[in-house]
Amino acid sequence: MAPVDPHSFTDSTHPHTTHISLTLYLDFLSSTIHASALFTLQNPHSGPFFLDTRSLSINSITDPQSNNTPIPFSLSQTIDPIKGSKLTLTLSNHTSFLINYTTSPSSSALQWLLPPQTFNKKHPFVYTQCQAIHARSVFPCQDTPAIRVSYSAKLNIPTELTAVMAAKHVLRRVPVDDDEFFGNSTKGRVVEEFVMELPVPPYLFAFAVGELDNREVGPRTRVYAEAVPKLLDSAAKEFDGTEDMIREGERLFGSYEWERFDLLVLPPSFPYGGMENPRMVFLTPTVIKGDATGAQVVAHELAHSWTGNLITNKTNEHFWLNEGFTTYAERRIVEAVQGEKRATLNIGIGWRGLNEDVERFKDNLELTKLKNNQEGIDPDDAYSQVPYEKGFQFLLRIEREIGRPAFDEFLKKYIATFKFKSIDTETFLDFLKANIPGIENQIDLVLWTEGTGIPSDAYEPDSSVYKTIVSLANESVNGRMPGDDEIAEWQGQEWELYLDNLPKSIEASQIAALDARYKLSESKDYEVKVSFLQRAISCGCKAYHSEVERTLKEVGRMKYLRPLYTALVKDSGNEDDKVFAKRLFSEARECYHPIAQGVVEAIFAKHM
């Protein structure tokens, strides 16, 4: 027996799942799903067969091709803190089997929201977040990106609600006698059917259910959100340039394979900026900024349509193949659609983030490598800007070496060669050396992929706008703040870059003076507000505790939770701040997605 992934029980000698047919009865009262999953295997198999599960109750496993004859199974009593529970089936030349099961209210992928936790305050809401290894808490599966599956799904939901999925919508209908209800009532219920015909890794399985409406913003794009007109209108305005970005992506990387590129704006508890679910990207409402810069997150998720969704990292140890490529692709799209200045600011913010995360992992330099060893490490704990920004820097280094036209041709060939496949770093490097002969003599490929920290030939932005903002930030040590004329054209990204580069020695009085002049703590742009509050906490400025509390209770995006909670329990060095952080988390915890809860708990465990 040989595992294919340090985060999965999947065995390399077992056949791959090729298709899963799901029937899901969503029970909002119990925050559970009563479900069945019909599996189709690549080849007949006899003997043990392993699946990943987490917090699932397995009710029965049967053979649908033999009058639903029971199939022996066992669910491990020992729960691995990272991988969950191993489900072992004993197969006898089977190519398919049917699992009836129930999810738990503690499912790590699902967040069930009560009406007060939503925008419209009228109806409940539920959504999934399966990356990196949380699909196993929604359905049993070979939960590794090394295996790609197609699927169909029937969602049985309350009539007043609407379902969306990262799949093609087939129809909405009333329940019929042939539907499985698992002993539940069909009164006041409706069935939504979906199909995903293209094979995807399990982490890209996604659905959301709530009172939803939509606005059309392009020939391939609708923006979905809760049925709140102001929210929908703001989102439609923010993302009305999406079709231009899709066309630019096609020009750079080849045809768009997924037909639709719809967007769903989720409630504020969504833990990420965006999630690249094919056909239905999930977004945090914090990307709606009113100046179209939030569309850069959409550009990133769009870029995943080629790098990540078409070509996928084989395991999370090669995560940079998803995120480094996508960050590079995002910036090329932004440069073409929004201009070089926006792309340059993006690179500058990323450069600062990379340096901060390399410093964060100074006691575990393994996680500053592009190709790293994650045995015994939860991928949520390993998450950082390193695969994004160091991966971007590596690809930019190759572009600088061979020139952009040659690199563009290489990218198109790479995507065409490996689409709908899962690959590792070695596969990429072999392809690179075969298609750009001698590249290993110009660039130290081993240092870039297996070395720690930031290589000396990485590229720190040197544009005039970047240098000017960083210089202004450095001048704050002399008590100087930027003048009105210097910031007249600044948007959120400029302020974010400025705040991120303020010296650690800045005084609390300077922070207060900066805010008195420019009202940064009241910014509607959360990137600006959180960056400012982080620095206010770190320099002991308690006057902003009320704004910190308000922020941590109204959003659940980990990009904001991680720096603010870390600043409170580590950077300030103040015991009162630790008590404050613990109280905040105890009061806000239930508003956070389970993944975000785990991240905050890990911060507390490390620093308290």
Side-chain angles (χ1 to χ4, degrees):
M1 293 187 293
V4 301
D5 185 328
H7 303 124
S8 173
F9 292 113
T10 301
D11 193 289
S12 63
T13 64
H14 294 175
H16 292 184
T17 305
T18 57
H19 186 82
I20 303 174
S21 296
L22 292 159
T23 301
L24 308 175
Y25 185 102
L26 279 70
D27 186 343
F28 281 86
L29 287 178
S30 64
S31 298
T32 59
I33 300 174
H34 307 288
S36 69
L38 175 61
F39 286 72
T40 302
L41 301 183
Q42 191 175 41
N43 304 303
H45 183 70
S46 295
F49 184 81
F50 305 148
L51 293 173
D52 298 305
T53 77
R54 179 184 291 123
S55 304
L56 299 181
S57 297
I58 308 300
N59 303 319
S60 67
I61 304 180
T62 57
D63 180 357
Q65 297 179 339
S66 181
N67 295 318
N68 286 321
T69 302
I71 293 175
F73 70 92
S74 63
L75 188 63
S76 62
Q77 296 303 304
T78 303
I79 300 175
D80 185 285
I82 296 172
K83 293 187 284 188
S85 301
K86 179 165 67 174
L87 176 61
T88 303
L89 291 70
T90 302
L91 302 182
S92 180
N93 204 39
H94 287 92
T95 57
S96 67
F97 50 85
L98 179 70
I99 302 178
N100 281 283
Y101 67 96
T102 306
T103 66
S104 163
S106 63
S107 166
S108 60
L110 291 161
Q111 185 171 25
W112 301 83
L113 298 172
L114 297 171
Q117 296 172 302
T118 67
F119 281 113
N120 66 22
K121 312 296 183 186
K122 298 177 184 177
H123 296 286
F125 198 104
V126 64
Y127 69 92
T128 59
Q129 173 55 41
C130 290
Q131 195 179 41
I133 55 170
H134 300 283
R136 66 193 66 183
S137 70
V138 182
F139 58 99
C141 57
Q142 294 170 308
D143 196 4
T144 168
I147 294 177
R148 305 173 71 97
V149 298
S150 60
Y151 67 87
S152 60
K154 299 176 184 178
L155 277 65
N156 190 310
I157 62 174
T159 306
E160 65 271 19
L161 303 182
T162 299
V164 295
M165 284 198 83
K168 182 179 181 179
H169 187 257
V170 179
L171 79 159
R172 178 182 172 100
R173 59 174 175 80
V174 297
V176 296
D177 290 342
D178 289 341
D179 288 320
E180 293 182 71
F181 305 122
F182 313 101
N184 294 285
S185 171
T186 62
K187 184 178 181 181
R189 308 284 295 190
V190 67
V191 174
E192 302 252 30
E193 294 192 20
F194 300 85
V195 61
M196 171 49 76
E197 296 169 335
L198 300 175
V200 295
Y203 74 81
L204 290 177
F205 175 86
F207 69 77
V209 177
E211 187 190 25
L212 300 174
D213 200 353
N214 66 80
R215 298 279 190 274
E216 188 170 317
V217 296
R220 289 178 274 191
T221 306
R222 285 182 178 272
V223 175
Y224 291 78
E226 289 182 69
V228 178
K230 184 177 179 181
L231 172 65
L232 279 160
D233 292 343
S234 297
K237 182 179 179 182
E238 190 81 20
F239 307 131
D240 66 358
T242 299
E243 181 62 24
D244 291 339
M245 293 194 293
I246 298 174
R247 289 174 181 162
E248 183 61 25
E250 289 184 309
R251 186 187 71 79
L252 289 168
F253 312 119
S255 60
Y256 181 78
E257 299 274 357
W258 306 96
E259 186 182 7
R260 297 288 303 174
F261 183 72
D262 292 326
L263 310 171
L264 171 65
V265 178
L266 285 161
S269 60
F270 184 58
Y272 291 101
M275 181 62 209
E276 64 269 20
N277 307 309
R279 299 184 64 102
M280 184 63 70
V281 165
F282 285 8
L283 294 168
T284 168
T286 63
V287 300
I288 302 173
K289 301 181 180 184
D291 60 6
T293 58
Q296 292 183 24
V297 173
V298 174
H300 184 90
E301 307 313 330
L302 169 65
H304 269 304
S305 302
W306 291 273
T307 54
N309 297 6
L310 272 188
I311 305 175
T312 306
N313 50 235
K314 201 167 190 177
T315 74
N316 209 68
E317 294 178 321
H318 307 274
F319 191 46
W320 79 273
L321 289 169
N322 276 22
E323 296 299 350
F325 270 94
T326 298
T327 301
Y328 175 87
E330 166 209 337
R331 287 169 182 162
R332 290 292 303 277
I333 293 171
V334 169
E335 180 182 317
V337 176
Q338 295 189 349
E340 186 177 354
K341 178 184 176 182
R342 286 288 136 213
T344 299
L345 287 169
N346 201 326
I347 294 170
I349 292 167
W351 175 257
R352 181 67 182 180
L354 174 60
N355 279 270
E356 288 179 351
D357 275 351
V358 168
E359 172 66 19
R360 176 161 72 95
F361 287 129
K362 64 184 179 183
D363 296 328
N364 187 5
L365 289 174
E366 180 68 22
L367 295 181
T368 69
K369 299 177 181 178
L370 290 183
K371 172 192 169 187
N372 50 55
N373 181 357
Q374 292 188 21
E375 187 70 45
I377 298 175
D378 190 320
D380 290 336
D381 294 338
Y383 183 85
S384 76
Q385 290 301 300
V386 172
Y388 294 75
E389 298 298 342
K390 187 175 179 181
F392 163 78
Q393 287 284 340
F394 179 36
L395 298 175
L396 186 62
R397 176 68 185 87
I398 299 170
E399 182 207 278
R400 287 161 50 213
E401 185 64 37
I402 67 174
R404 178 169 282 189
F407 191 60
D408 283 353
E409 288 304 310
F410 169 80
L411 277 180
K412 286 180 179 177
K413 187 175 182 180
Y414 166 71
I415 291 168
T417 300
F418 294 108
K419 67 179 181 179
F420 296 112
K421 295 179 181 177
S422 299
I423 68 171
D424 56 21
T425 301
E426 289 72 25
T427 302
F428 167 74
L429 292 177
D430 288 345
F431 185 79
L432 176 68
K433 289 183 282 189
N435 286 274
I436 307 177
I439 189 68
E440 67 272 27
N441 299 321
Q442 277 75 48
I443 301 173
D444 190 336
L445 303 179
V446 174
L447 175 66
W448 267 99
T449 56
E450 300 182 32
T452 61
I454 304 173
S456 59
D457 54 344
Y459 170 76
E460 179 177 5
D462 64 355
S463 72
S464 59
V465 63
Y466 172 81
K467 287 183 174 180
T468 298
I469 293 172
V470 172
S471 176
L472 283 171
N474 290 332
E475 288 177 17
S476 65
V477 295
N478 301 319
R480 182 180 183 275
M481 71 173 69
D484 292 344
D485 57 327
E486 293 171 305
I487 60 93
E489 297 183 1
W490 281 16
Q491 291 180 295
Q493 281 187 302
E494 286 88 346
W495 275 114
E496 185 183 357
L497 185 63
Y498 173 81
L499 292 166
D500 285 350
N501 282 276
L502 287 175
K504 293 186 184 301
S505 59
I506 192 168
E507 299 286 339
S509 58
Q510 292 175 272
I511 286 288
L514 188 66
D515 189 48
R517 186 166 184 173
Y518 295 117
K519 310 298 182 187
L520 301 176
S521 66
E522 302 171 18
S523 174
K524 302 301 182 185
D525 186 330
Y526 277 92
E527 317 291 325
V528 175
K529 176 191 279 192
V530 170
S531 186
F532 174 82
L533 293 176
Q534 180 185 3
R535 274 136 194 86
I537 295 166
S538 297
C539 69
C541 202
K542 291 183 179 293
Y544 295 99
H545 273 200
S546 60
E547 193 57 52
V548 170
E549 178 167 358
R550 186 178 301 110
T551 302
L552 288 174
K553 287 183 175 180
E554 67 187 9
V555 296
R557 187 178 177 184
M558 293 189 294
K559 184 177 183 180
Y560 308 144
L561 305 188
R562 186 179 281 112
L564 290 182
Y565 278 112
T566 299
L568 286 170
V569 302
K570 174 179 176 282
D571 297 345
S572 75
N574 188 301
E575 287 301 316
D576 288 344
D577 280 354
K578 293 182 179 181
V579 173
F580 176 56
K582 290 181 71 173
R583 177 181 67 78
L584 279 182
F585 183 55
S586 68
E587 294 174 0
R589 188 181 190 280
E590 293 307 312
C591 294
Y592 298 158
H593 187 279
I595 296 173
Q597 292 174 7
V599 165
V600 178
E601 287 164 353
I603 291 171
F604 285 1
K606 183 175 181 180
H607 299 296
M608 294 179 69

